[in-house]
Short mmCIF file of all heavy atoms in Angstrom, two decimals:
data_model
loop_
_atom_site.label_atom_id
_atom_site.label_comp_id
_atom_site.label_asym_id
_atom_site.label_seq_id
_atom_site.Cartn_x
_atom_site.Cartn_y
_atom_site.Cartn_z
N LEU A 143 -7.52 -62.13 14.01
CA LEU A 143 -6.07 -62.12 14.23
C LEU A 143 -5.72 -62.92 15.49
O LEU A 143 -4.75 -63.70 15.51
CB LEU A 143 -5.57 -60.68 14.36
CG LEU A 143 -5.52 -59.86 13.08
CD1 LEU A 143 -5.56 -58.36 13.39
CD2 LEU A 143 -4.26 -60.19 12.28
N TYR A 148 0.57 -67.89 11.85
CA TYR A 148 1.20 -67.79 10.53
C TYR A 148 2.03 -69.03 10.28
O TYR A 148 3.04 -69.27 10.95
CB TYR A 148 2.06 -66.54 10.41
CG TYR A 148 2.35 -66.17 8.97
CD1 TYR A 148 1.53 -65.28 8.30
CD2 TYR A 148 3.42 -66.74 8.28
CE1 TYR A 148 1.78 -64.95 6.97
CE2 TYR A 148 3.66 -66.43 6.96
CZ TYR A 148 2.84 -65.53 6.30
OH TYR A 148 3.08 -65.21 4.99
N LEU A 207 -1.47 -64.35 16.04
CA LEU A 207 -1.10 -63.11 15.34
C LEU A 207 -1.43 -61.87 16.16
O LEU A 207 -0.87 -60.80 15.92
CB LEU A 207 -1.79 -63.04 13.98
CG LEU A 207 -1.27 -64.03 12.93
CD1 LEU A 207 -2.00 -63.83 11.60
CD2 LEU A 207 0.22 -63.92 12.74
N TYR A 209 -1.26 -61.04 20.09
CA TYR A 209 -0.77 -61.67 21.32
C TYR A 209 -0.38 -60.60 22.33
O TYR A 209 -0.12 -59.44 21.98
CB TYR A 209 0.41 -62.59 21.02
CG TYR A 209 1.64 -61.85 20.52
CD1 TYR A 209 2.66 -61.47 21.38
CD2 TYR A 209 1.77 -61.52 19.16
CE1 TYR A 209 3.77 -60.78 20.92
CE2 TYR A 209 2.88 -60.84 18.69
CZ TYR A 209 3.88 -60.47 19.58
OH TYR A 209 4.98 -59.78 19.13
N ASN A 251 0.05 -56.93 20.95
CA ASN A 251 0.85 -56.72 19.75
C ASN A 251 0.21 -57.45 18.57
O ASN A 251 -0.44 -58.48 18.76
CB ASN A 251 2.27 -57.27 19.93
CG ASN A 251 3.07 -56.52 20.98
OD1 ASN A 251 3.84 -55.63 20.66
ND2 ASN A 251 2.88 -56.88 22.25
N LEU A 252 0.42 -56.93 17.39
CA LEU A 252 0.02 -57.63 16.16
C LEU A 252 1.29 -58.05 15.42
O LEU A 252 2.21 -57.25 15.25
CB LEU A 252 -0.83 -56.73 15.27
CG LEU A 252 -2.15 -56.24 15.85
CD1 LEU A 252 -2.96 -55.52 14.78
CD2 LEU A 252 -2.97 -57.38 16.45
N ARG A 253 1.31 -59.30 14.96
CA ARG A 253 2.52 -59.90 14.41
C ARG A 253 2.71 -59.50 12.94
O ARG A 253 2.69 -60.33 12.04
CB ARG A 253 2.47 -61.41 14.58
CG ARG A 253 3.85 -62.06 14.69
CD ARG A 253 3.76 -63.55 14.90
NE ARG A 253 3.15 -63.97 16.13
CZ ARG A 253 3.74 -63.99 17.32
NH1 ARG A 253 4.99 -63.58 17.43
NH2 ARG A 253 3.10 -64.40 18.40
N ILE A 254 2.94 -58.21 12.71
CA ILE A 254 3.17 -57.72 11.35
C ILE A 254 4.47 -58.27 10.78
O ILE A 254 4.64 -58.39 9.56
CB ILE A 254 3.15 -56.17 11.32
CG1 ILE A 254 3.15 -55.65 9.88
CG2 ILE A 254 4.32 -55.60 12.10
CD1 ILE A 254 3.00 -54.14 9.78
N THR A 255 5.40 -58.65 11.67
CA THR A 255 6.68 -59.19 11.21
C THR A 255 6.50 -60.45 10.37
O THR A 255 7.33 -60.76 9.52
CB THR A 255 7.59 -59.51 12.41
OG1 THR A 255 6.86 -60.31 13.36
CG2 THR A 255 8.05 -58.24 13.09
N ALA A 256 5.40 -61.18 10.59
CA ALA A 256 5.15 -62.39 9.79
C ALA A 256 4.98 -62.04 8.32
O ALA A 256 5.24 -62.88 7.45
CB ALA A 256 3.90 -63.10 10.31
N TYR A 257 4.57 -60.82 8.04
CA TYR A 257 4.27 -60.40 6.66
C TYR A 257 5.38 -59.55 6.06
O TYR A 257 5.22 -59.00 4.97
CB TYR A 257 2.95 -59.63 6.63
CG TYR A 257 1.74 -60.52 6.84
CD1 TYR A 257 1.30 -60.84 8.12
CD2 TYR A 257 1.07 -61.07 5.76
CE1 TYR A 257 0.20 -61.67 8.31
CE2 TYR A 257 -0.03 -61.89 5.93
CZ TYR A 257 -0.46 -62.19 7.21
OH TYR A 257 -1.54 -63.01 7.39
N ALA A 258 6.51 -59.42 6.75
CA ALA A 258 7.55 -58.48 6.32
C ALA A 258 7.97 -58.73 4.87
O ALA A 258 8.03 -57.79 4.07
CB ALA A 258 8.75 -58.58 7.25
N ASP A 259 8.28 -59.98 4.54
CA ASP A 259 8.77 -60.26 3.18
C ASP A 259 7.68 -60.01 2.14
O ASP A 259 7.95 -59.46 1.06
CB ASP A 259 9.26 -61.70 3.10
CG ASP A 259 10.47 -61.84 2.19
OD1 ASP A 259 11.19 -60.84 2.02
OD2 ASP A 259 10.69 -62.94 1.65
N LEU A 261 5.17 -57.93 2.41
CA LEU A 261 4.97 -56.48 2.32
C LEU A 261 6.04 -55.85 1.42
O LEU A 261 5.76 -54.90 0.68
CB LEU A 261 5.01 -55.86 3.71
CG LEU A 261 3.79 -56.15 4.60
CD1 LEU A 261 4.06 -55.73 6.04
CD2 LEU A 261 2.55 -55.44 4.07
N TRP A 281 11.84 -49.12 6.34
CA TRP A 281 11.19 -49.42 7.62
C TRP A 281 11.14 -50.94 7.86
O TRP A 281 11.39 -51.40 8.97
CB TRP A 281 9.78 -48.84 7.62
CG TRP A 281 9.09 -48.88 8.94
CD1 TRP A 281 8.18 -49.79 9.38
CD2 TRP A 281 9.26 -47.95 10.02
NE1 TRP A 281 7.75 -49.49 10.66
CE2 TRP A 281 8.40 -48.37 11.07
CE3 TRP A 281 10.04 -46.81 10.21
CZ2 TRP A 281 8.32 -47.69 12.29
CZ3 TRP A 281 9.95 -46.13 11.42
CH2 TRP A 281 9.10 -46.57 12.43
N ILE A 282 10.85 -51.68 6.80
CA ILE A 282 10.83 -53.14 6.91
C ILE A 282 12.26 -53.66 7.09
O ILE A 282 12.50 -54.56 7.90
CB ILE A 282 10.16 -53.76 5.68
CG1 ILE A 282 8.68 -53.34 5.63
CG2 ILE A 282 10.27 -55.28 5.69
CD1 ILE A 282 8.00 -53.63 4.30
N ILE A 474 11.70 -54.18 10.92
CA ILE A 474 10.35 -53.94 11.40
C ILE A 474 10.06 -54.78 12.64
O ILE A 474 10.54 -55.91 12.76
CB ILE A 474 9.32 -54.25 10.29
CG1 ILE A 474 7.94 -53.73 10.67
CG2 ILE A 474 9.29 -55.73 9.95
CD1 ILE A 474 6.93 -53.85 9.55
N ARG A 475 9.31 -54.21 13.56
CA ARG A 475 8.91 -54.94 14.77
C ARG A 475 7.40 -55.06 14.82
O ARG A 475 6.69 -54.32 14.15
CB ARG A 475 9.42 -54.21 16.01
CG ARG A 475 10.89 -54.44 16.28
CD ARG A 475 11.52 -53.31 17.03
NE ARG A 475 11.69 -52.14 16.17
CZ ARG A 475 11.91 -50.92 16.64
NH1 ARG A 475 11.96 -50.71 17.93
NH2 ARG A 475 12.05 -49.92 15.81
N ASP A 476 6.94 -56.00 15.62
CA ASP A 476 5.50 -56.18 15.75
C ASP A 476 4.86 -54.90 16.25
O ASP A 476 5.44 -54.15 17.04
CB ASP A 476 5.19 -57.35 16.69
CG ASP A 476 5.45 -58.69 16.02
OD1 ASP A 476 5.51 -58.73 14.78
OD2 ASP A 476 5.59 -59.70 16.73
N ALA A 477 3.65 -54.66 15.80
CA ALA A 477 2.96 -53.39 16.08
C ALA A 477 2.28 -53.44 17.44
O ALA A 477 1.44 -54.31 17.69
CB ALA A 477 1.92 -53.13 14.99
N ILE A 478 2.64 -52.50 18.30
CA ILE A 478 1.97 -52.39 19.60
C ILE A 478 0.53 -51.94 19.35
O ILE A 478 0.29 -50.92 18.70
CB ILE A 478 2.71 -51.41 20.52
CG1 ILE A 478 4.13 -51.93 20.79
CG2 ILE A 478 1.95 -51.22 21.83
CD1 ILE A 478 5.00 -50.95 21.54
N TRP A 548 -5.04 -46.19 14.62
CA TRP A 548 -4.93 -46.73 13.27
C TRP A 548 -5.76 -47.99 13.07
O TRP A 548 -5.85 -48.49 11.93
CB TRP A 548 -3.47 -46.98 12.88
CG TRP A 548 -2.66 -47.84 13.81
CD1 TRP A 548 -1.83 -47.42 14.80
CD2 TRP A 548 -2.58 -49.27 13.81
NE1 TRP A 548 -1.23 -48.49 15.42
CE2 TRP A 548 -1.67 -49.65 14.82
CE3 TRP A 548 -3.17 -50.27 13.05
CZ2 TRP A 548 -1.35 -50.98 15.10
CZ3 TRP A 548 -2.85 -51.60 13.33
CH2 TRP A 548 -1.95 -51.95 14.35
N THR A 590 4.78 -45.08 6.84
CA THR A 590 5.15 -46.21 7.69
C THR A 590 4.16 -46.43 8.83
O THR A 590 4.44 -47.18 9.75
CB THR A 590 6.56 -46.01 8.26
OG1 THR A 590 6.62 -44.76 8.97
CG2 THR A 590 7.59 -46.00 7.15
N GLY A 591 3.02 -45.78 8.74
CA GLY A 591 1.95 -46.00 9.71
C GLY A 591 0.75 -46.60 9.02
O GLY A 591 0.71 -47.78 8.70
N LEU A 594 1.15 -48.83 5.82
CA LEU A 594 1.76 -50.13 6.07
C LEU A 594 0.81 -51.05 6.82
O LEU A 594 0.66 -52.23 6.49
CB LEU A 594 3.05 -49.94 6.85
CG LEU A 594 4.00 -51.14 6.92
CD1 LEU A 594 4.46 -51.55 5.54
CD2 LEU A 594 5.20 -50.82 7.79
N TYR A 595 0.13 -50.50 7.84
CA TYR A 595 -0.80 -51.32 8.62
C TYR A 595 -1.98 -51.79 7.76
O TYR A 595 -2.45 -52.91 7.90
CB TYR A 595 -1.32 -50.55 9.82
CG TYR A 595 -0.25 -50.19 10.82
CD1 TYR A 595 -0.22 -48.93 11.42
CD2 TYR A 595 0.75 -51.09 11.16
CE1 TYR A 595 0.76 -48.59 12.35
CE2 TYR A 595 1.74 -50.75 12.07
CZ TYR A 595 1.74 -49.50 12.67
OH TYR A 595 2.72 -49.17 13.57
N SER A 596 -2.46 -50.92 6.86
CA SER A 596 -3.58 -51.30 6.00
C SER A 596 -3.17 -52.44 5.06
O SER A 596 -3.95 -53.37 4.83
CB SER A 596 -4.04 -50.10 5.16
OG SER A 596 -4.58 -49.09 5.98
N ARG A 597 -1.96 -52.38 4.55
CA ARG A 597 -1.47 -53.46 3.69
C ARG A 597 -1.37 -54.76 4.47
O ARG A 597 -1.70 -55.84 3.96
CB ARG A 597 -0.11 -53.08 3.09
CG ARG A 597 -0.15 -51.88 2.15
CD ARG A 597 1.22 -51.62 1.53
NE ARG A 597 1.64 -52.75 0.74
CZ ARG A 597 2.88 -53.24 0.72
NH1 ARG A 597 3.82 -52.68 1.47
NH2 ARG A 597 3.17 -54.27 -0.03
N PHE A 598 -0.91 -54.67 5.70
CA PHE A 598 -0.80 -55.85 6.57
C PHE A 598 -2.17 -56.47 6.82
O PHE A 598 -2.38 -57.68 6.63
CB PHE A 598 -0.12 -55.42 7.87
CG PHE A 598 -0.33 -56.31 9.06
CD1 PHE A 598 -0.24 -57.70 8.96
CD2 PHE A 598 -0.58 -55.76 10.31
CE1 PHE A 598 -0.42 -58.51 10.08
CE2 PHE A 598 -0.76 -56.55 11.42
CZ PHE A 598 -0.69 -57.94 11.30
N TRP A 599 -3.15 -55.67 7.21
CA TRP A 599 -4.48 -56.19 7.48
C TRP A 599 -5.09 -56.80 6.21
O TRP A 599 -5.76 -57.83 6.26
CB TRP A 599 -5.40 -55.09 8.03
CG TRP A 599 -5.22 -54.86 9.50
CD1 TRP A 599 -4.06 -54.88 10.19
CD2 TRP A 599 -6.24 -54.57 10.46
NE1 TRP A 599 -4.28 -54.61 11.52
CE2 TRP A 599 -5.61 -54.42 11.71
CE3 TRP A 599 -7.61 -54.40 10.38
CZ2 TRP A 599 -6.31 -54.12 12.88
CZ3 TRP A 599 -8.32 -54.10 11.54
CH2 TRP A 599 -7.68 -53.96 12.77
#
Side-chain angles (χ1 to χ4, degrees):
L143 287 157
Y148 198 93
L207 289 182
Y209 65 95
N251 294 263
L252 299 188
R253 208 178 295 281
I254 190 174
T255 50
Y257 288 86
D259 216 25
L261 288 168
W281 189 261
I282 295 167
I474 192 173
R475 282 153 287 163
D476 285 341
I478 298 172
W548 55 264
T590 56
L594 194 60
Y595 296 138
S596 295
R597 295 184 62 221
F598 160 44
W599 278 38

